[in-house]
Amino acid sequence: MKRAFVTGTTGQDGSYLVELLIEKGYEVHGTIRRASVFNTARIDHLMDHPQVKLHHSDLTDSSNLNKLLATIKPDEIYNLGAQSHVAVSFEVPEYTAQVDATGTLRLLDAMHSFCPEARFYQASTSEMYGKVREVPQSETTPFYPRSPYAVAKLYAYWITKNFRESYDLYACNGILFNHESERRGRTFVTRKITTNLAQVHLGLRDTVRLGNIDAKRDWGYAKEYVEAMWLMLQQDEPDDFVIATGEMHSVRDFCERSASWLGYNLVWEGEGVTEIGRDETTGKVLIEIDERYFRPAEVEELLGDPSKAERELGWKAKVGLDELVDIMMESDMRVVKKEAGIVE
Ligand code: NAP
Ligand code: GDD
């Protein structure tokens, strides 16, 4: 049985990847962090699975990583663990670098020392394109990071490439554009919109308060994106790939589609921080702008060119934005009702 080692199993992508690897017959060694409250909600259904073994670990602890890789000797390593919130990285830049940048170095170093035949996947990001130099962005587009998170991830991207070239390791960067799901963290914009709008609709919250609603992203469905991670490690040669839908939409557009799912027709009034989004029929204010959610430096637009992945991996996104909104709104109406004890 092949062995996989996955950091960040408690996160959105980690939970989908563990499910995929189980399906493919792997023994999956996942890392979790000790927390003062339970943080395993996304993988609770997998905890007792015979193919799953969980280990306490942290990307800031190299002795722990060395021991784990020396004893597990995995065939594949997926480095998904990260302080992954862009806005938070401005508040904890040094910690973000410790986890996202040098954490990747620690893991690569452990692999080089204890299981150099393993294959390595690095969770690189479209945030590295930042202030974009061309549209759409492909594997050859120059980078221009705009946050401590993106700068840290750029180090991780290059150290992965450097270990591949220096030590002949099988190490790949998946440059993934934003991908969302019903398991997305609630502080990322799509999930914030779907949960908060569900709460507004049910009378549990007044409005949804957002920052820059004119930012544009290439949003795909996370469950499909983990398949691309696995495919990258099944090729003859290691390489880097952009994974994206090839379509770009604004946060404003995401709000309109989510509101429409609930039967509202969102219209906009005012501008800047005084702009509001109102339901045209009832006049109810659904969206307000809140300066707290603006970032010191913004990534205005990201649009991926996934043609290399389609050509070489046979991977293509299937879920479009409308279907993504359906999946998330449908799930969040259920989740929010359950949390509020609303029985139908
Ligand atoms: P996520 O939901 O925030 O999950 C991050 C995972 O990393 C969690 O399991 C978290 O553990 C773990 N983690 C945090 N700090 C750690 C540390 N010091 N040591 C070990 N693990 C740590 O993120 P995601 O959306 O699944 O993203 C997965 C990866 O892909 C991340 O590296 C992210 O930067 C990258 N990425 C994501 C996207 C996207 O759109 N989702 C796009 C491109 C790249 P806790 O649960 O204990 O906090
Ligand atoms: N989080 C958040 N909250 N973002 C908001 C809000 C808000 O209230 N209002 C507007 N936005 C805007 C942000 O300013 C940003 O331009 C956009 O919505 C998307 O923000 P996020 O959903 O937080 O995602 P991100 O693009 O910054 O980062 C995500 O995608 C990256 C890939 O491009 C994260 O998953 C990163 O880990 C990932 O690398």
Side-chain angles (χ1 to χ4, degrees):
M1 189 183 267
K2 270 189 163 181
R3 279 188 296 271
F5 181 81
V6 183
T7 68
T9 41
T10 53
Q12 170 188 256
D13 291 6
S15 65
Y16 285 121
L17 182 65
V18 174
E19 285 171 359
L20 179 80
L21 293 170
I22 291 172
E23 234 176 78
K24 296 207 176 280
Y26 285 71
E27 179 177 285
V28 187
H29 292 261
T31 71
I32 55 170
R33 296 195 298 164
R34 189 267 159 184
S36 64
V37 286
F38 290 115
N39 62 354
T40 53
R42 293 187 181 100
I43 52 164
D44 277 346
H45 59 297
L46 306 171
M47 293 289 239
D48 296 324
H49 196 286
Q51 283 164 250
V52 176
K53 323 263 174 228
L54 296 176
H55 308 270
H56 279 110
S57 178
D58 198 297
L59 282 158
T60 58
D61 184 338
S62 48
S63 73
N64 164 278
L65 296 172
N66 287 339
K67 255 186 263 169
L68 286 175
L69 292 200
T71 43
I72 298 165
K73 296 217 180 288
D75 300 287
E76 294 174 13
I77 299 172
Y78 295 86
N79 185 30
L80 309 187
Q83 190 305 92
S84 73
H85 203 283
V86 173
V88 171
S89 78
F90 287 97
E91 294 177 49
V92 287
E94 187 180 339
Y95 175 71
T96 303
Q98 284 290 344
V99 179
D100 299 11
T102 44
T104 305
L105 170 64
R106 287 182 196 99
L107 191 56
L108 277 165
D109 226 0
M111 165 171 156
H112 185 214
S113 303
F114 300 109
C115 49
E117 298 305 317
R119 296 183 167 209
F120 186 90
Y121 173 85
Q122 169 56 21
S124 285
T125 166
S126 50
E127 276 292 303
M128 298 187 303
Y129 298 118
K131 191 170 177 183
V132 297
R133 307 283 91 187
E134 65 182 3
V135 182
Q137 296 87 51
S138 73
E139 293 79 3
T140 55
T141 302
F143 299 119
Y144 193 135
R146 292 275 279 174
S147 63
Y149 167 78
V151 173
K153 283 284 187 174
L154 194 56
Y155 175 89
Y157 167 91
W158 280 112
I159 201 69
T160 299
K161 220 170 154 100
N162 181 257
F163 267 55
R164 175 166 85 213
E165 292 171 1
S166 309
Y167 309 119
D168 203 23
L169 301 183
Y170 191 110
C172 303
N173 283 290
I175 308 174
L176 271 54
F177 282 63
N178 299 48
H179 45 280
E180 319 294 311
S181 73
E182 60 275 41
R183 296 187 194 170
R184 184 59 143 153
R186 289 183 178 198
T187 60
F188 297 98
V189 78
T190 56
R191 185 83 200 285
K192 179 174 173 181
I193 293 167
T194 57
T195 45
N196 288 10
L197 268 183
Q199 289 164 339
V200 170
H201 185 66
L202 295 167
L204 302 166
R205 168 187 292 278
D206 292 335
T207 60
V208 186
R209 300 182 71 81
L210 296 171
N212 176 13
I213 55 174
D214 290 315
K216 297 191 182 79
R217 291 290 184 273
D218 178 330
W219 281 298
Y221 185 40
K223 198 171 177 181
E224 297 188 326
Y225 281 43
V226 300
E227 179 102 35
M229 300 175 186
W230 177 78
L231 281 169
M232 280 179 223
L233 299 200
Q234 315 309 316
Q235 305 305 304
D236 292 338
E237 297 294 332
D239 204 348
D240 306 324
F241 294 91
V242 160
I243 300 297
T245 67
E247 274 188 34
M248 184 166 71
H249 301 272
S250 63
V251 173
R252 186 187 290 276
D253 184 356
F254 195 92
C255 290
E256 288 165 7
R257 287 171 201 247
S258 305
S260 162
W261 194 93
L262 290 164
Y264 300 113
N265 184 20
L266 199 56
V267 290
W268 302 95
E269 287 169 22
E271 53 185 59
V273 287
T274 60
E275 186 168 9
I276 52 169
R278 218 188 256 290
D279 174 39
E280 193 175 29
T281 316
T282 58
K284 182 175 170 49
V285 177
L286 302 173
I287 313 278
E288 288 181 290
I289 305 299
D290 188 330
E291 265 176 293
R292 276 183 305 169
Y293 299 112
F294 287 110
R295 295 170 181 186
E298 176 63 296
V299 173
E300 294 296 344
E301 57 170 80
L302 290 173
L303 174 64
D305 169 4
S307 50
K308 179 176 170 187
E310 191 176 346
R311 210 171 45 245
E312 296 185 22
L313 302 176
W315 182 92
K316 192 172 170 24
K318 295 183 197 81
V319 174
L321 193 64
D322 278 327
E323 195 182 342
L324 182 62
V325 168
D326 280 351
I327 293 168
M328 294 179 70
M329 277 306 321
E330 196 270 323
S331 169
D332 274 330
M333 278 301 280
R334 250 186 304 111
V335 169
V336 167
K337 278 183 193 164
K338 193 170 168 205
E339 283 172 354
I342 299 171
V343 189
E344 286 181 319

mmCIF file of all heavy atoms in Angstrom, residues 126-145 157 175 177 216 218 242 244 246 248 299-308:
data_model
loop_
_atom_site.group_PDB
_atom_site.id
_atom_site.type_symbol
_atom_site.label_atom_id
_atom_site.label_comp_id
_atom_site.label_asym_id
_atom_site.label_seq_id
_atom_site.Cartn_x
_atom_site.Cartn_y
_atom_site.Cartn_z
ATOM 1 N N SER A 126 -1.863 31.466 -6.544
ATOM 2 C CA SER A 126 -2.010 32.570 -7.498
ATOM 3 C C SER A 126 -1.716 33.925 -6.851
ATOM 4 O O SER A 126 -1.457 34.912 -7.556
ATOM 5 C CB SER A 126 -3.429 32.578 -8.054
ATOM 6 O OG SER A 126 -4.383 32.511 -7.013
ATOM 7 N N GLU A 127 -1.753 33.970 -5.497
ATOM 8 C CA GLU A 127 -1.406 35.224 -4.808
ATOM 9 C C GLU A 127 0.004 35.686 -5.183
ATOM 10 O O GLU A 127 0.328 36.868 -5.070
ATOM 11 C CB GLU A 127 -1.475 35.036 -3.296
ATOM 12 C CG GLU A 127 -2.858 35.201 -2.708
ATOM 13 C CD GLU A 127 -3.378 36.630 -2.773
ATOM 14 O OE1 GLU A 127 -2.731 37.534 -2.250
ATOM 15 O OE2 GLU A 127 -4.451 36.833 -3.364
ATOM 16 N N MET A 128 0.857 34.784 -5.606
ATOM 17 C CA MET A 128 2.235 35.155 -5.989
ATOM 18 C C MET A 128 2.220 36.107 -7.195
ATOM 19 O O MET A 128 3.150 36.877 -7.384
ATOM 20 C CB MET A 128 3.054 33.909 -6.340
ATOM 21 C CG MET A 128 3.199 32.936 -5.173
ATOM 22 S SD MET A 128 4.311 31.558 -5.500
ATOM 23 C CE MET A 128 3.606 30.808 -6.950
ATOM 24 N N TYR A 129 1.165 36.083 -8.015
ATOM 25 C CA TYR A 129 1.089 36.994 -9.175
ATOM 26 C C TYR A 129 0.714 38.406 -8.739
ATOM 27 O O TYR A 129 1.031 39.365 -9.444
ATOM 28 C CB TYR A 129 0.073 36.481 -10.195
ATOM 29 C CG TYR A 129 0.418 35.130 -10.775
ATOM 30 C CD1 TYR A 129 -0.410 34.034 -10.604
ATOM 31 C CD2 TYR A 129 1.606 34.957 -11.493
ATOM 32 C CE1 TYR A 129 -0.082 32.796 -11.128
ATOM 33 C CE2 TYR A 129 1.938 33.712 -12.017
ATOM 34 C CZ TYR A 129 1.095 32.645 -11.827
ATOM 35 O OH TYR A 129 1.424 31.422 -12.344
ATOM 36 N N GLY A 130 -0.002 38.489 -7.609
ATOM 37 C CA GLY A 130 -0.297 39.763 -6.947
ATOM 38 C C GLY A 130 -0.717 40.904 -7.849
ATOM 39 O O GLY A 130 -1.830 40.935 -8.377
ATOM 40 N N LYS A 131 0.187 41.864 -7.998
ATOM 41 C CA LYS A 131 -0.088 43.002 -8.895
ATOM 42 C C LYS A 131 0.233 42.497 -10.303
ATOM 43 O O LYS A 131 1.385 42.603 -10.772
ATOM 44 C CB LYS A 131 0.823 44.157 -8.503
ATOM 45 C CG LYS A 131 0.499 45.472 -9.129
ATOM 46 C CD LYS A 131 1.327 46.542 -8.461
ATOM 47 C CE LYS A 131 1.101 47.880 -9.110
ATOM 48 N NZ LYS A 131 1.950 48.904 -8.514
ATOM 49 N N VAL A 132 -0.769 41.981 -10.971
ATOM 50 C CA VAL A 132 -0.495 41.090 -12.106
ATOM 51 C C VAL A 132 0.239 41.777 -13.256
ATOM 52 O O VAL A 132 -0.049 42.919 -13.613
ATOM 53 C CB VAL A 132 -1.776 40.402 -12.636
ATOM 54 C CG1 VAL A 132 -2.372 39.524 -11.558
ATOM 55 C CG2 VAL A 132 -2.797 41.406 -13.150
ATOM 56 N N ARG A 133 1.177 41.037 -13.813
ATOM 57 C CA ARG A 133 2.017 41.531 -14.918
ATOM 58 C C ARG A 133 1.441 41.193 -16.272
ATOM 59 O O ARG A 133 1.843 41.736 -17.286
ATOM 60 C CB ARG A 133 3.446 40.950 -14.805
ATOM 61 C CG ARG A 133 4.123 41.151 -13.449
ATOM 62 C CD ARG A 133 4.641 42.552 -13.257
ATOM 63 N NE ARG A 133 3.648 43.400 -12.623
ATOM 64 C CZ ARG A 133 3.784 44.712 -12.461
ATOM 65 N NH1 ARG A 133 4.851 45.333 -12.901
ATOM 66 N NH2 ARG A 133 2.854 45.417 -11.882
ATOM 67 N N GLU A 134 0.547 40.190 -16.336
ATOM 68 C CA GLU A 134 -0.166 39.897 -17.585
ATOM 69 C C GLU A 134 -1.466 39.178 -17.254
ATOM 70 O O GLU A 134 -1.621 38.639 -16.157
ATOM 71 C CB GLU A 134 0.700 39.073 -18.555
ATOM 72 C CG GLU A 134 1.036 37.687 -18.069
ATOM 73 C CD GLU A 134 1.931 36.928 -19.055
ATOM 74 O OE1 GLU A 134 2.343 37.492 -20.087
ATOM 75 O OE2 GLU A 134 2.211 35.744 -18.777
ATOM 76 N N VAL A 135 -2.384 39.187 -18.203
ATOM 77 C CA VAL A 135 -3.698 38.562 -18.007
ATOM 78 C C VAL A 135 -3.979 37.663 -19.219
ATOM 79 O O VAL A 135 -3.902 38.156 -20.353
ATOM 80 C CB VAL A 135 -4.810 39.636 -17.917
ATOM 81 C CG1 VAL A 135 -6.163 38.980 -17.657
ATOM 82 C CG2 VAL A 135 -4.492 40.660 -16.822
ATOM 83 N N PRO A 136 -4.323 36.395 -19.040
ATOM 84 C CA PRO A 136 -4.367 35.648 -17.791
ATOM 85 C C PRO A 136 -2.959 35.255 -17.333
ATOM 86 O O PRO A 136 -1.994 35.424 -18.086
ATOM 87 C CB PRO A 136 -5.191 34.418 -18.170
ATOM 88 C CG PRO A 136 -4.887 34.181 -19.612
ATOM 89 C CD PRO A 136 -4.714 35.557 -20.221
ATOM 90 N N GLN A 137 -2.860 34.715 -16.119
ATOM 91 C CA GLN A 137 -1.566 34.321 -15.579
ATOM 92 C C GLN A 137 -1.312 32.821 -15.843
ATOM 93 O O GLN A 137 -2.189 32.002 -15.628
ATOM 94 C CB GLN A 137 -1.506 34.574 -14.068
ATOM 95 C CG GLN A 137 -1.610 36.037 -13.692
ATOM 96 C CD GLN A 137 -3.049 36.524 -13.537
ATOM 97 O OE1 GLN A 137 -3.827 35.893 -12.828
ATOM 98 N NE2 GLN A 137 -3.411 37.630 -14.183
ATOM 99 N N SER A 138 -0.093 32.558 -16.332
ATOM 100 C CA SER A 138 0.274 31.164 -16.615
ATOM 101 C C SER A 138 1.554 30.830 -15.844
ATOM 102 O O SER A 138 2.047 31.648 -15.063
ATOM 103 C CB SER A 138 0.528 31.000 -18.118
ATOM 104 O OG SER A 138 1.762 31.612 -18.440
ATOM 105 N N GLU A 139 2.106 29.667 -16.107
ATOM 106 C CA GLU A 139 3.333 29.220 -15.419
ATOM 107 C C GLU A 139 4.518 30.131 -15.730
ATOM 108 O O GLU A 139 5.514 30.127 -15.000
ATOM 109 C CB GLU A 139 3.679 27.779 -15.841
ATOM 110 C CG GLU A 139 2.695 26.709 -15.372
ATOM 111 C CD GLU A 139 1.424 26.631 -16.217
ATOM 112 O OE1 GLU A 139 1.303 27.369 -17.224
ATOM 113 O OE2 GLU A 139 0.536 25.829 -15.860
ATOM 114 N N THR A 140 4.437 30.915 -16.811
ATOM 115 C CA THR A 140 5.573 31.762 -17.180
ATOM 116 C C THR A 140 5.373 33.242 -16.806
ATOM 117 O O THR A 140 6.252 34.072 -17.046
ATOM 118 C CB THR A 140 5.836 31.673 -18.708
ATOM 119 O OG1 THR A 140 4.613 32.008 -19.377
ATOM 120 C CG2 THR A 140 6.287 30.283 -19.117
ATOM 121 N N THR A 141 4.249 33.567 -16.226
ATOM 122 C CA THR A 141 3.984 34.968 -15.835
ATOM 123 C C THR A 141 4.891 35.359 -14.660
ATOM 124 O O THR A 141 4.982 34.617 -13.683
ATOM 125 C CB THR A 141 2.500 35.122 -15.405
ATOM 126 O OG1 THR A 141 1.675 34.721 -16.495
ATOM 127 C CG2 THR A 141 2.174 36.560 -15.004
ATOM 128 N N PRO A 142 5.543 36.525 -14.720
ATOM 129 C CA PRO A 142 6.379 36.956 -13.594
ATOM 130 C C PRO A 142 5.532 37.204 -12.337
ATOM 131 O O PRO A 142 4.361 37.557 -12.427
ATOM 132 C CB PRO A 142 6.987 38.274 -14.087
ATOM 133 C CG PRO A 142 6.760 38.307 -15.548
ATOM 134 C CD PRO A 142 5.566 37.465 -15.846
ATOM 135 N N PHE A 143 6.161 37.023 -11.195
ATOM 136 C CA PHE A 143 5.444 37.188 -9.912
ATOM 137 C C PHE A 143 5.608 38.608 -9.370
ATOM 138 O O PHE A 143 6.608 39.274 -9.649
ATOM 139 C CB PHE A 143 5.985 36.189 -8.885
ATOM 140 C CG PHE A 143 5.800 34.747 -9.283
ATOM 141 C CD1 PHE A 143 6.894 33.905 -9.460
ATOM 142 C CD2 PHE A 143 4.532 34.223 -9.476
ATOM 143 C CE1 PHE A 143 6.723 32.570 -9.818
ATOM 144 C CE2 PHE A 143 4.343 32.879 -9.832
ATOM 145 C CZ PHE A 143 5.445 32.065 -10.009
ATOM 146 N N TYR A 144 4.624 39.051 -8.586
ATOM 147 C CA TYR A 144 4.697 40.365 -7.918
ATOM 148 C C TYR A 144 3.835 40.279 -6.654
ATOM 149 O O TYR A 144 2.688 40.750 -6.637
ATOM 150 C CB TYR A 144 4.183 41.466 -8.851
ATOM 151 C CG TYR A 144 4.487 42.889 -8.404
ATOM 152 C CD1 TYR A 144 4.957 43.840 -9.305
ATOM 153 C CD2 TYR A 144 4.275 43.309 -7.093
ATOM 154 C CE1 TYR A 144 5.219 45.151 -8.908
ATOM 155 C CE2 TYR A 144 4.540 44.611 -6.689
ATOM 156 C CZ TYR A 144 5.005 45.529 -7.603
ATOM 157 O OH TYR A 144 5.262 46.822 -7.214
ATOM 158 N N PRO A 145 4.365 39.625 -5.602
ATOM 159 C CA PRO A 145 3.549 39.385 -4.402
ATOM 160 C C PRO A 145 3.166 40.674 -3.697
ATOM 161 O O PRO A 145 3.918 41.639 -3.702
ATOM 162 C CB PRO A 145 4.455 38.508 -3.528
ATOM 163 C CG PRO A 145 5.835 38.762 -4.008
ATOM 164 C CD PRO A 145 5.732 39.091 -5.468
ATOM 165 N N TYR A 157 7.747 28.481 -3.098
ATOM 166 C CA TYR A 157 7.743 28.087 -4.518
ATOM 167 C C TYR A 157 9.178 27.879 -5.011
ATOM 168 O O TYR A 157 9.522 26.853 -5.596
ATOM 169 C CB TYR A 157 7.046 29.189 -5.334
ATOM 170 C CG TYR A 157 7.233 29.078 -6.833
ATOM 171 C CD1 TYR A 157 6.329 28.375 -7.618
ATOM 172 C CD2 TYR A 157 8.321 29.685 -7.472
ATOM 173 C CE1 TYR A 157 6.500 28.262 -8.993
ATOM 174 C CE2 TYR A 157 8.501 29.576 -8.839
ATOM 175 C CZ TYR A 157 7.592 28.876 -9.597
ATOM 176 O OH TYR A 157 7.778 28.761 -10.948
ATOM 177 N N ILE A 175 0.240 25.753 -8.704
ATOM 178 C CA ILE A 175 -0.095 27.176 -8.508
ATOM 179 C C ILE A 175 -1.612 27.277 -8.603
ATOM 180 O O ILE A 175 -2.177 27.451 -9.691
ATOM 181 C CB ILE A 175 0.608 28.066 -9.551
ATOM 182 C CG1 ILE A 175 2.116 27.752 -9.575
ATOM 183 C CG2 ILE A 175 0.351 29.557 -9.252
ATOM 184 C CD1 ILE A 175 2.884 28.483 -10.668
ATOM 185 N N PHE A 177 -5.316 28.694 -8.145
ATOM 186 C CA PHE A 177 -6.130 29.886 -7.994
ATOM 187 C C PHE A 177 -7.201 29.573 -6.948
ATOM 188 O O PHE A 177 -7.378 28.428 -6.541
ATOM 189 C CB PHE A 177 -6.714 30.303 -9.357
ATOM 190 C CG PHE A 177 -5.674 31.011 -10.209
ATOM 191 C CD1 PHE A 177 -4.525 30.344 -10.621
ATOM 192 C CD2 PHE A 177 -5.816 32.349 -10.553
ATOM 193 C CE1 PHE A 177 -3.533 31.001 -11.370
ATOM 194 C CE2 PHE A 177 -4.848 33.010 -11.307
ATOM 195 C CZ PHE A 177 -3.699 32.334 -11.710
ATOM 196 N N LYS A 216 -11.431 40.920 -8.049
ATOM 197 C CA LYS A 216 -11.891 39.841 -8.948
ATOM 198 C C LYS A 216 -11.019 38.610 -8.750
ATOM 199 O O LYS A 216 -9.799 38.722 -8.603
ATOM 200 C CB LYS A 216 -11.797 40.300 -10.405
ATOM 201 C CG LYS A 216 -12.682 41.478 -10.733
ATOM 202 C CD LYS A 216 -12.710 41.684 -12.256
ATOM 203 C CE LYS A 216 -13.549 42.896 -12.642
ATOM 204 N NZ LYS A 216 -12.833 44.160 -12.446
ATOM 205 N N ASP A 218 -10.572 34.136 -9.730
ATOM 206 C CA ASP A 218 -10.870 32.957 -10.548
ATOM 207 C C ASP A 218 -11.210 31.850 -9.546
ATOM 208 O O ASP A 218 -10.326 31.222 -8.985
ATOM 209 C CB ASP A 218 -9.614 32.636 -11.376
ATOM 210 C CG ASP A 218 -9.750 31.411 -12.250
ATOM 211 O OD1 ASP A 218 -10.493 30.493 -11.867
ATOM 212 O OD2 ASP A 218 -9.075 31.359 -13.290
ATOM 213 N N VAL A 242 -0.333 25.604 -13.258
ATOM 214 C CA VAL A 242 -1.432 26.487 -12.857
ATOM 215 C C VAL A 242 -2.722 25.668 -12.866
ATOM 216 O O VAL A 242 -3.003 24.944 -13.823
ATOM 217 C CB VAL A 242 -1.566 27.674 -13.846
ATOM 218 C CG1 VAL A 242 -2.944 28.319 -13.755
ATOM 219 C CG2 VAL A 242 -0.483 28.708 -13.586
ATOM 220 N N ALA A 244 -6.762 26.352 -12.404
ATOM 221 C CA ALA A 244 -7.736 27.453 -12.375
ATOM 222 C C ALA A 244 -8.912 27.088 -13.271
ATOM 223 O O ALA A 244 -8.873 26.078 -13.973
ATOM 224 C CB ALA A 244 -7.060 28.728 -12.892
ATOM 225 N N GLY A 246 -10.139 29.551 -15.444
ATOM 226 C CA GLY A 246 -10.037 30.377 -16.649
ATOM 227 C C GLY A 246 -11.170 31.396 -16.739
ATOM 228 O O GLY A 246 -11.374 32.026 -17.782
ATOM 229 N N MET A 248 -13.113 34.736 -14.543
ATOM 230 C CA MET A 248 -12.895 35.672 -13.436
ATOM 231 C C MET A 248 -14.205 36.403 -13.112
ATOM 232 O O MET A 248 -14.926 36.809 -14.022
ATOM 233 C CB MET A 248 -11.809 36.678 -13.856
ATOM 234 C CG MET A 248 -11.418 37.650 -12.784
ATOM 235 S SD MET A 248 -9.880 38.506 -13.222
ATOM 236 C CE MET A 248 -10.412 39.575 -14.563
ATOM 237 N N VAL A 299 -4.743 42.680 -3.970
ATOM 238 C CA VAL A 299 -4.622 41.994 -5.266
ATOM 239 C C VAL A 299 -5.945 42.225 -5.968
ATOM 240 O O VAL A 299 -6.978 41.688 -5.564
ATOM 241 C CB VAL A 299 -4.344 40.486 -5.056
ATOM 242 C CG1 VAL A 299 -4.395 39.738 -6.380
ATOM 243 C CG2 VAL A 299 -2.998 40.297 -4.366
ATOM 244 N N GLU A 300 -5.935 43.074 -6.986
ATOM 245 C CA GLU A 300 -7.196 43.510 -7.590
ATOM 246 C C GLU A 300 -7.851 42.433 -8.440
ATOM 247 O O GLU A 300 -9.068 42.313 -8.469
ATOM 248 C CB GLU A 300 -6.983 44.770 -8.445
ATOM 249 C CG GLU A 300 -6.581 46.007 -7.637
ATOM 250 C CD GLU A 300 -7.660 46.486 -6.658
ATOM 251 O OE1 GLU A 300 -8.834 46.078 -6.796
ATOM 252 O OE2 GLU A 300 -7.307 47.262 -5.737
ATOM 253 N N GLU A 301 -7.017 41.663 -9.177
ATOM 254 C CA GLU A 301 -7.633 40.669 -10.060
ATOM 255 C C GLU A 301 -6.694 39.501 -10.304
ATOM 256 O O GLU A 301 -5.465 39.687 -10.397
ATOM 257 C CB GLU A 301 -8.014 41.295 -11.397
ATOM 258 C CG GLU A 301 -6.845 41.941 -12.128
ATOM 259 C CD GLU A 301 -7.208 42.323 -13.548
ATOM 260 O OE1 GLU A 301 -7.848 43.369 -13.692
ATOM 261 O OE2 GLU A 301 -6.852 41.579 -14.480
ATOM 262 N N LEU A 302 -7.277 38.326 -10.380
ATOM 263 C CA LEU A 302 -6.510 37.112 -10.691
ATOM 264 C C LEU A 302 -7.323 36.286 -11.680
ATOM 265 O O LEU A 302 -8.508 36.033 -11.450
ATOM 266 C CB LEU A 302 -6.256 36.286 -9.428
ATOM 267 C CG LEU A 302 -5.282 36.871 -8.392
ATOM 268 C CD1 LEU A 302 -5.270 36.029 -7.122
ATOM 269 C CD2 LEU A 302 -3.869 37.002 -8.958
ATOM 270 N N LEU A 303 -6.663 35.887 -12.752
ATOM 271 C CA LEU A 303 -7.311 35.039 -13.758
ATOM 272 C C LEU A 303 -6.281 34.034 -14.260
ATOM 273 O O LEU A 303 -5.241 34.429 -14.808
ATOM 274 C CB LEU A 303 -7.823 35.904 -14.923
ATOM 275 C CG LEU A 303 -8.402 35.127 -16.111
ATOM 276 C CD1 LEU A 303 -9.661 34.349 -15.720
ATOM 277 C CD2 LEU A 303 -8.726 36.089 -17.269
ATOM 278 N N GLY A 304 -6.573 32.761 -14.086
ATOM 279 C CA GLY A 304 -5.592 31.735 -14.443
ATOM 280 C C GLY A 304 -5.749 31.213 -15.856
ATOM 281 O O GLY A 304 -6.856 31.189 -16.401
ATOM 282 N N ASP A 305 -4.628 30.770 -16.412
ATOM 283 C CA ASP A 305 -4.642 30.080 -17.699
ATOM 284 C C ASP A 305 -4.261 28.613 -17.428
ATOM 285 O O ASP A 305 -3.079 28.290 -17.299
ATOM 286 C CB ASP A 305 -3.617 30.727 -18.646
ATOM 287 C CG ASP A 305 -3.396 29.893 -19.902
ATOM 288 O OD1 ASP A 305 -4.092 28.871 -20.071
ATOM 289 O OD2 ASP A 305 -2.513 30.256 -20.705
ATOM 290 N N PRO A 306 -5.287 27.740 -17.325
ATOM 291 C CA PRO A 306 -5.002 26.356 -16.929
ATOM 292 C C PRO A 306 -4.678 25.431 -18.106
ATOM 293 O O PRO A 306 -4.759 24.210 -17.980
ATOM 294 C CB PRO A 306 -6.322 25.935 -16.266
ATOM 295 C CG PRO A 306 -7.366 26.719 -16.993
ATOM 296 C CD PRO A 306 -6.732 27.984 -17.511
ATOM 297 N N SER A 307 -4.271 25.997 -19.272
ATOM 298 C CA SER A 307 -4.153 25.143 -20.460
ATOM 299 C C SER A 307 -3.052 24.086 -20.341
ATOM 300 O O SER A 307 -3.193 22.980 -20.853
ATOM 301 C CB SER A 307 -3.992 25.982 -21.730
ATOM 302 O OG SER A 307 -2.974 26.919 -21.549
ATOM 303 N N LYS A 308 -1.968 24.393 -19.607
ATOM 304 C CA LYS A 308 -0.905 23.382 -19.460
ATOM 305 C C LYS A 308 -1.434 22.177 -18.663
ATOM 306 O O LYS A 308 -1.155 21.020 -19.013
ATOM 307 C CB LYS A 308 0.305 24.012 -18.749
ATOM 308 C CG LYS A 308 1.448 23.042 -18.534
ATOM 309 C CD LYS A 308 2.653 23.743 -17.912
ATOM 310 C CE LYS A 308 3.710 22.766 -17.455
ATOM 311 N NZ LYS A 308 4.801 23.431 -16.715
#
